[in-house]
Amino acid sequence: MRPFRPPRVDAHVHAWSAPDASHVAPMLGARPGAPLQAGGAPALLAALDAASVGSALVVQPACYAFDHSYVLDAARASGGRVRVCASVDPSLPAISAVMAAHALADAGVAALRFNPYLDGWDPDEGLASDTGLATADTAAARGVPVCVMAFKGLAPLAPAINRIMRTVPSVRVVLDHCGFVGASALDGPDARALASLAAAHPDRLTVKASAWFRVAGNADGAPGVDGTAARGLMAWLLDTVGPARLMWGTDWPWAMEHGTYEGAWALLDEWEREGLLSAADAAAVGGGNAATLFGFNDGDA
């Protein structure tokens, strides 16, 4: 008999309204002038259903800046299947950031996101500014993790992340998209930074094994994922971080520029069949870890 598997959870998706909806805003396309992928909440739920995925963490898209109305509405309408990762406004003074974090937690968000490449972060302190530390402390007090978007490299951010985790010893930190460690750079500074953070904080650092088209894309730039490169990166992550601290994510709908939603889950199934992950580890990475960290197991999720 096949062992019980917890429902799958996509740890990283986005959602935005159709052009005629009330919360419409300009969206940053994947390429200048490129048409946007369909990104509405109904389309997301349909994609989850088609791939037999139970739930998803919707990360606030850039188009709405710090107005979380659309994603919070989507979460409320989802019957508990969708939870929200909200964006932190770095321009707020620390006391206002604390109030904002409490308000977001009261609204039911499951995580707060630090994007160090948004304008407003202190040029010297970065993520570990007074605002960053105050937000991290509030997040820890409210039981929600802090996600970090290291889009331009993890190594420059590692000292600030370390400071946050040492100053706020109960905060949980999640690195988006494999920490942006490229599959072709496993001996590079970003990989070394991730390995150092994982070793220094073995109980509080989690990594999203997500957006494989970003970190293990085809060498010629063609859409899709280089399966061999992705497998090498996953093997490295399993060795460096461990299956208990990895969560699968697709980066829907951007991933749809590179295949189908079901296909974005296919690598995980393939690696389980090949023995790279045990059935139990595949279940944890594919849903169990995210369900626990982001509160999908809570009765009022």
Side-chain angles (χ1 to χ4, degrees):
M1 178 180 296
R2 188 176 180 85
F4 168 76
R5 286 181 180 274
R8 283 187 158 174
V9 177
D10 192 329
H12 197 108
V13 302
H14 299 281
W16 51 80
S17 64
D20 59 347
S22 59
H23 293 297
V24 70
M27 168 57 71
L28 303 175
R31 298 179 301 280
L36 295 175
Q37 294 288 336
L44 169 61
L45 293 175
L48 299 181
D49 288 340
S52 299
V53 176
S55 307
L57 182 76
V58 174
V59 178
Q60 170 79 344
C63 62
Y64 298 131
F66 309 109
D67 176 2
H68 297 91
S69 302
Y70 183 78
V71 291
L72 288 172
D73 285 350
R76 283 189 285 266
S78 73
R81 296 185 68 186
V82 167
R83 303 205 75 184
V84 171
C85 175
S87 289
V88 172
D89 183 350
S91 69
L92 294 176
I95 186 61
S96 298
V98 168
M99 294 172 64
H102 277 300
L104 288 166
D106 289 343
V109 304
L112 299 174
R113 194 188 203 199
F114 287 2
N115 185 341
Y117 303 107
L118 296 177
D119 291 337
W121 288 104
D122 184 286
D124 297 317
E125 300 294 341
L127 299 181
S129 66
D130 289 345
T131 292
L133 290 171
T135 301
D137 188 63
T138 307
R142 296 302 300 265
V144 298
V146 169
C147 299
V148 177
M149 172 69 158
F151 189 71
K152 297 181 182 179
L154 180 62
L157 306 178
I161 295 171
N162 253 320
R163 183 181 172 197
I164 289 169
M165 298 187 78
R166 295 187 189 284
T167 304
V168 187
S170 57
V171 72
R172 298 289 300 270
V173 171
V174 181
L175 301 180
D176 292 344
H177 304 337
C178 304
F180 282 91
V181 173
S184 62
L186 297 182
D187 57 351
D190 293 328
R192 291 194 294 272
L194 193 155
S196 178
L197 286 168
H201 309 287
D203 299 322
R204 293 187 292 128
L205 186 83
T206 302
V207 178
K208 291 181 186 176
S210 58
W212 289 92
F213 62 93
R214 298 188 187 277
V215 295
N218 290 308
D220 61 2
V225 177
D226 181 330
T228 300
R231 192 185 195 284
L233 174 54
M234 186 64 173
W236 181 86
L237 288 169
L238 288 167
D239 184 59
T240 303
V241 180
R245 294 191 288 163
L246 291 172
M247 301 181 295
W248 196 261
T250 65
D251 205 15
W252 185 94
W254 300 123
M256 300 307 94
E257 294 185 342
H258 301 268
T260 66
Y261 185 66
E262 294 90 338
W265 286 88
L267 282 175
L268 183 62
D269 294 329
E270 178 182 330
W271 293 335
E272 181 185 352
R273 288 194 301 270
E274 294 176 352
L276 182 62
L277 296 105
S278 68
D281 288 344
V285 173
N289 295 338
T292 298
L293 184 61
F294 296 127
F296 287 102
N297 291 332
D298 296 346
D300 59 349

